């Protein structure tokens, strides 16, 4: 599952070290340790608190430092477990989990169970669509089901924590990890992130089919400069609080009890050495009383790299002189559990003796970890709910597979459908062409959990189930060598085009399955172009030349630049990476069993040079106008817009969203009002529309985004039917954070826009009273 990861080796000499306090990244802040050390949120559970205190009082320093340690599969030893190792990640084999747990609860001195964690990002074995795809569903139930079954299958093997949901808002399509969350909008990420947490944890994550959730990556990891993973981020306080923090807050409010801090630096301060974001905001302002784990070797990466680069392991940020300094910085800034590197464990004793960390803080970190373990019910039920040899039978159960199929079809976005090419008629002869047509591997997308290629149903097989005589040609190959070599983008040769054309000519209609390999998205998979990789556009042109009706189905973990494709292909359906039920779900939509209703959770630029381009941008003093010169535009693009805007998506029927009404024309700062619209299916098929509500504050003390999504609802309507949809708006919708980090509600006009994409033009206004 995980590819080669370098191992932390921490044999650095002890140097001296003044550790500048982690320091605030934004406005100067005093250390927030004190604030962060006060448990608040759920400490009402006194029984757990006293059990934790009791256990803590019996622990040696060595045992406490072991509790803080989180080791991956290849580093765990039975000896370490006997010493009291806290957590393990990425062991998924149920027998091994059981054996390690047995050693922990039978042979370690205090018998504290291990917390087993894994990246169940969009399914454990029953792989659902990637989270960007689920974002396109605009349906919290899709996100919920993904993690409901993901948690059930994970729990069966003995896991009790998942490193999900990923809720990193991103305006950066070059970044491979844009695939892992719900795209460019904080509100959509908040709603779906909260649904995921609720599905993972339920009301009580000690239940046998529940885990503790760990929203990540705290914080602003979604905005790396140039889109290169792990790269630095520099941003204003207001952006941090208005765009990047809200989905985390929503996840915490939904009950998430662990959080992962991020690799990236914000304004020069790395996520896992950041007192301001972890201590002050998360643990202080939000009263989070669970624990924070550092991302993979992120604690060691705080260190400066030595000039001659001997093998010292992870390093780079240069905010700590050496290993001990990094350990002190991370712990003091709020990291409670160290993943993969072992600096806090190795240097804890020394740091304590030197007064660079306190016993109070060590106890606080351990208390947080133990609190979560008690809440998880691990002391009463340390083992998986089923025996290891029964686990396999719990995988890919029919209810999970059916939910995955539904989630995949609800995630698909019909970008274009000129001449109503789609849906195709299954009784006609269908050719399925393209490098992703007969492909299981890529359908699972990045972060495929414990999924297996052989579990996935190909597009070809899915189409054949509904259009039995379907034929096939590959057209070209997408390579998936890792790291990329001479032909990184694949589809470098047109040798197979002639066969593809012949197969198309012999059929009545063509489904062209194109896109990225799963290796092109996800972690460490930034791309410098957003084009369809390789010569796939030429393949489209070759199929177009046959004159056969055809639809392009795209598989991708990020937006593409599709200017050429929209000219050549009459119909384009974006299927993202759909998961194990890729083929049946694509067939459902292509043949019209399911009417597509997904909407883009991220803008599709016309050209790469527009990036970052996002609907929720701030205005300028020279708004874009393609007819003018001294305005904010690209001179070589005759348009100000993306190719497909956030919220765009077509259907096989048509909808009208009308009659925007506000329940009041004024509202007090603490009051609320309702906005309602009528949505009507004006076409001839049953279908789904996502009604979307946006706000704009035209005059504020700091420029407000031209639109902000504040409400959406996906509705299903029969032809000719109407429904009224109502949204309630309050200060959380019309207020904002300023650059001092203060939430403010300013008097004045607020414009409301409603419709079926971010370019909706129907508008009304109300006034917030002073
Ligand atoms: C990723 C995390 C992931 C962790 C453990 C890291 O490289 O950034 O998202 O949870 O590995 O697999």
């Amino acid at each position: 599952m995980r590819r080669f990861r370098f191992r932390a080796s921490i044999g650095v000499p002890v140097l001296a070290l003044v550790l500048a306090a982690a320091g605030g990244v934004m406005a100067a802040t005093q250390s927030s340790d004190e604030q962060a050390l006060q448990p608040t949120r759920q400490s009402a559970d006194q029984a757990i608190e006293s059990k934790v205190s009791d256990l803590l009082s019996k622990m040696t320093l060595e045992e406490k430092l072991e509790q803080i340690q989180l080791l991956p599969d290849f580093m765990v030893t039975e000896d370490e477990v006997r010493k009291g190792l806290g957590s393990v990640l990425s062991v998924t084999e149920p027998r091994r989990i059981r054996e390690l747990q047995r050693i922990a609860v039978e042979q370690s001195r205090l018998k504290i169970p291990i917390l087993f964690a894994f990246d169940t990002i969009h399914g454990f074995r029953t792989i659902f669509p990637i989270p960007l795809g689920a974002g396109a569903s605009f349906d919290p139930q899709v996100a919920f089901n993904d993690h409901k079954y993901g948690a059930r299958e994970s729990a069966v093997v003995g896991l009790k924590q998942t490193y999900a949901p990923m809720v990193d808002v991103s305006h950066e399509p070059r970044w491979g990890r844009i695939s892992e969350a719900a795209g460019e909008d904080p509100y959509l990420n908040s709603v779906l992130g909260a649904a995921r947490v609720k599905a993972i944890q339920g009301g009580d994550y000690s239940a046998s089919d529940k885990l503790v959730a760990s929203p990540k990556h705290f914080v602003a990891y979604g905005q790396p400069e140039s889109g290169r993973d792990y790269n630095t981020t520099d941003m204003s306080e207001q952006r941090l609080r208005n765009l990047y923090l809200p989905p985390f807050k929503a996840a915490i409010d939904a009950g998430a009890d662990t959080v992962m801090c991020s690799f990236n630096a914000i304004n020069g301060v790395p996520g896992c050495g950041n007192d301001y974001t972890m201590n002050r905001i998360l643990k202080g302002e939000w009263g989070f009383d669970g624990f924070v784990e550092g991302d993979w070797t992120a604690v060691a990466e705080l260190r400066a790299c030595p000039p001659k680069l001997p093998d010292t392991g992870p390093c780079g940020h240069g905010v700590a002189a050496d290993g001990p300094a990094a350990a002190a910085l991370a712990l003091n800034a709020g990291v409670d559990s160290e993943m993969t590197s072992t600096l806090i464990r190795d240097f804890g004793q020394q740091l304590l003796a030197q007064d660079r960390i306190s016993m109070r803080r060590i106890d606080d970190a351990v208390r947080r970890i133990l609190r979560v373990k008690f809440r998880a019910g691990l002391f009463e039920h340390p083992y998986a709910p089923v025996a290891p040899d029964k686990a396999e039978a719990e995988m890919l159960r029919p209810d999970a597979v059916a939910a995955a199929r539904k989630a995949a079809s609800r995630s698909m976005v019909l970008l274009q459908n000129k001449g109503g090419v789609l849906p195709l008629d299954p009784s006609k002869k269908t050719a399925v062409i393209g490098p992703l047509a007969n492909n299981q591997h890529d359908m699972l997308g990045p972060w495929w959990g414990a999924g297996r290629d052989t579990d996935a149903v190909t597009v070809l097989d899915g189409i054949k189930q509904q259009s039995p005589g379907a034929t096939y040609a590959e057209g070209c190959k997408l390579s998936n060598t890792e790291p990329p070599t001479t032909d990184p983008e694949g589809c470098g040769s047109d040798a197979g085009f002639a066969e593809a054309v012949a197969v198309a000519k012999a059929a009545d209609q063509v489904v062209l399955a194109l896109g990225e390999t799963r290796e092109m998205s996800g972690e460490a998979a930034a791309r410098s172009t957003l084009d369809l990789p390789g010569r796939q556009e030429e393949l489209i042109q070759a199929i177009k030349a046959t004159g056969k009706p055809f639809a392009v189905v795209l598989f991708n973990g990020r937006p593409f630049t599709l200017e050429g494709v929209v000219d050549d292909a009459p119909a384009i359906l974006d299927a993202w990476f759909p998961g194990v039920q890729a083929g049946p779900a694509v067939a459902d939509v292509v043949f019209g069993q399911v009417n597509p209703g997904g909407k883009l959770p991220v803008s599709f630029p016309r050209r790469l040079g527009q990036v970052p381009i996002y609907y929720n941008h701030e205005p300028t003093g020279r708004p874009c106008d393609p007819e003018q010169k001294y305005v904010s535009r690209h001179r070589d693009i005759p348009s100000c817009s993306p190719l497909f805007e956030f919220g765009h998506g077509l259907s096989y029927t048509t909808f009208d969203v009308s009659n925007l009404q506000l329940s009041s024309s004024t509202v007090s700062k603490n009051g609320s009002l309702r906005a309602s619209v009528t949505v009507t299916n004006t076409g001839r098929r049953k279908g789904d529309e996502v009604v979307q509500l946006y706000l704009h504050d035209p005059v504020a003390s700091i420029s407000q985004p031209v639109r902000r999504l504040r409400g959406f609802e996906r509705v299903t309507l029969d032809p000719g039917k109407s429904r009224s949809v109502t949204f309630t708006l309050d200060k959380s919708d019309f207020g904002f954070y300023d650059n001092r980090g203060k939430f403010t509600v300013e008097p004045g006009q607020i414009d409301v826009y409603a419709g079926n994409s971010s370019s909706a033009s129907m508008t009304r206004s109300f006034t917030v009273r002073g």
Side-chain angles (χ1 to χ4, degrees), residues 16 19 26 28 39 46 57 72 98 152 258 285 292 393 396 459 480 533 539 585 598 625 628 630 680 685 697 757:
L19 242 211
M26 310 293 151
Q46 277 314 321
S57 70
R98 195 178 176 86
R152 187 175 84 185
T258 63
E285 290 177 25
V292 177
L396 295 158
V459 174
N480 58 14
L539 180 57
D625 176 346
Q628 302 294 324
Y630 290 100
T680 307
R685 268 175 187 266
D697 183 345
S757 91

Side-chain angles (χ1 to χ4, degrees), residues 2 5 89-90 119 163 177 180 216-217 221 260 263 295-296 339 447 523:
R2 170 172 288 291
R5 306 299 299 254
L89 79 139
S90 294
D119 293 283
Y163 297 141
R177 303 197 80 170
E180 292 176 44
K216 65 187 187 184
H217 306 80
Y221 182 49
M260 185 184 293
F263 291 123
D295 202 345
W296 185 280
M339 189 193 297
W447 292 105
E523 188 173 352

Side-chain angles (χ1 to χ4, degrees), residues 51-64 66-67 81-85 103-114 366 370 373-374 379:
K51 284 183 198 165
V52 172
S53 302
D54 184 48
L55 205 44
L56 256 177
S57 70
K58 296 180 184 145
M59 292 172 86
T60 63
L61 175 60
E62 196 194 4
E63 285 165 337
K64 289 176 184 174
E66 276 296 343
Q67 239 356 264
V81 174
R82 281 186 198 96
K83 284 191 213 156
L85 177 65
I103 296 170
V105 300
E106 289 180 9
Q107 298 175 13
S108 72
R109 192 179 73 89
L110 292 170
K111 308 189 180 338
I112 302 174
I114 294 174
V366 177
L370 294 177
K373 289 186 174 183
F374 275 109
F379 288 85

Side-chain angles (χ1 to χ4, degrees), residues 84-296:
L85 177 65
S87 316
V88 168
L89 79 139
S90 294
V91 178
T92 53
E93 209 288 303
R95 270 175 208 80
R96 174 116 173 100
I97 292 183
R98 195 178 176 86
E99 178 56 9
L100 291 172
Q101 191 71 299
R102 192 189 65 75
I103 296 170
V105 300
E106 289 180 9
Q107 298 175 13
S108 72
R109 192 179 73 89
L110 292 170
K111 308 189 180 338
I112 302 174
I114 294 174
L115 182 65
F116 287 93
F118 188 56
D119 293 283
T120 299
I121 307 294
H122 52 110
F124 179 76
R125 192 60 195 280
T126 306
I127 304 303
F128 277 63
I130 55 167
L132 190 60
S137 75
F138 277 70
D139 179 359
Q141 192 66 41
V142 163
F144 185 91
N145 284 347
D146 169 355
H147 278 289
K148 172 178 151 186
Y149 295 110
R152 187 175 84 185
E153 291 183 348
S154 304
V156 154
V157 301
L159 296 164
K160 206 58 195 174
Q161 183 189 23
T162 179
Y163 297 141
M166 204 270 226
V167 288
D168 292 318
V169 169
S170 183
H171 293 162
E172 187 39 89
R174 290 170 292 186
W175 188 49
R177 303 197 80 170
I178 198 168
S179 55
E180 292 176 44
E184 73 190 30
D185 181 69
Y187 182 78
L188 182 62
N189 268 291
S190 297
V191 172
L192 299 190
R196 289 181 188 275
V197 170
K198 288 193 172 134
I200 294 164
Q201 295 195 171
D204 171 2
Y205 57 84
S206 72
S208 62
D209 57 352
K210 295 296 169 197
L211 318 176
V212 61
S214 192
K216 65 187 187 184
H217 306 80
F218 200 70
V219 55
Y221 182 49
Q223 217 45 44
E225 286 188 358
S226 171
R228 284 186 293 117
D229 212 352
Y230 320 118
N231 203 10
T232 204
T233 289
D234 198 286
M235 70 168 61
S236 61
E237 179 78 17
Q238 67 90 5
R239 278 203 173 183
L240 178 73
R241 291 197 179 252
N242 291 315
L243 287 175
Y244 299 96
L245 284 170
F248 285 95
K249 180 68 165 56
I252 302 299
D253 289 346
D257 246 359
T258 63
V259 166
M260 185 184 293
C261 58
S262 61
F263 291 123
N264 62 294
I266 316 170
N267 305 351
V269 184
C272 293
N274 202 318
D275 173 76
Y276 182 70
T277 54
M278 290 189 288
N279 279 339
R280 170 100 165 233
I281 296 178
L282 176 65
K283 295 180 178 179
E285 290 177 25
W286 299 355
F288 172 74
D289 71 357
F291 74 81
V292 177
E293 72 269 347
D295 202 345
W296 185 280

Side-chain angles (χ1 to χ4, degrees), residues 294-587:
D295 202 345
W296 185 280
T297 67
V299 172
E301 290 169 30
L302 299 174
R303 300 180 300 177
C305 294
K308 285 199 181 140
L309 286 179
D311 177 27
T312 56
C315 60
H317 277 299
V319 291
D322 56 14
L329 174 56
L331 188 73
N332 288 333
V335 171
D336 303 298
S337 172
E338 181 178 356
M339 189 193 297
T340 307
S341 55
T342 58
L343 299 173
I344 299 176
R345 182 194 69 188
D346 296 350
F347 298 115
Q349 193 155 10
Q350 167 195 322
L351 291 167
L352 200 57
Q354 294 171 334
D355 234 9
R356 291 159 64 195
I357 58 174
S358 66
M359 188 55 115
R360 183 154 184 245
R361 173 64 188 113
I362 291 178
D363 283 351
D364 173 58
V366 177
R367 173 175 289 279
R368 288 169 179 275
I369 294 165
L370 294 177
R371 184 182 284 142
V372 168
K373 289 186 174 183
F374 275 109
R375 287 181 185 160
L378 276 172
F379 288 85
E380 299 85 53
H381 306 288
Y383 298 115
V386 304
D389 60 340
K390 302 275 185 310
E392 181 62 23
E394 299 298 317
M395 302 298 153
L396 295 158
R397 278 185 10 198
D399 54 348
V401 173
R405 177 173 180 168
K406 188 168 177 192
S409 63
R410 285 179 80 76
S411 297
M412 292 178 195
V413 182
L414 185 62
L415 293 174
Q416 169 165 296
N417 196 15
K418 285 187 200 154
V421 170
L422 286 175
L424 302 177
D425 178 350
S427 67
K428 291 190 173 160
K429 188 163 180 199
T430 310
V432 190
I433 293 175
L436 294 170
N438 191 20
N439 177 306
Q440 293 179 297
H441 176 83
D442 293 307
M443 295 299 109
L444 302 186
W447 292 105
W448 54 94
R452 298 179 190 166
D453 291 358
T454 47
D455 296 336
V457 184
T458 66
V459 174
L460 177 60
D461 285 343
I463 297 271
K464 274 185 176 165
Q465 283 163 12
Q466 298 187 31
S467 183
T471 52
Y472 163 70
E474 187 176 29
C476 64
K477 272 200 192 321
L478 281 179
S479 67
N480 58 14
T481 52
E482 202 57 35
T485 49
T486 45
D487 184 14
E489 303 285 48
C491 194
S493 160
D494 64 359
F497 285 16
E499 187 208 352
V501 165
V503 169
K505 281 186 176 156
D508 302 319
Q509 54 194 9
V510 179
V511 173
L512 204 42
L514 307 175
E516 299 180 312
T517 65
R518 76 182 188 198
E519 288 76 14
M520 290 178 194
S521 289
E523 188 173 352
R527 288 183 61 205
S528 66
T529 103
L530 301 176
D531 294 343
L532 258 182
R535 301 177 68 173
Q536 295 182 85
E537 277 197 45
E538 289 174 50
L539 180 57
I540 297 176
Q541 285 153 8
I543 298 304
K544 178 187 179 188
T546 67
K548 299 288 176 176
F550 74 103
V552 167
V553 181
L554 295 175
F555 300 88
N556 47 314
R558 56 161 57 80
F560 281 140
T561 41
L562 295 171
E563 264 191 323
V565 179
V566 294
D567 289 342
D568 290 329
I572 309 171
L573 178 71
D574 198 332
W576 315 101
F577 290 112
V580 281
Q581 283 289 293
V586 166

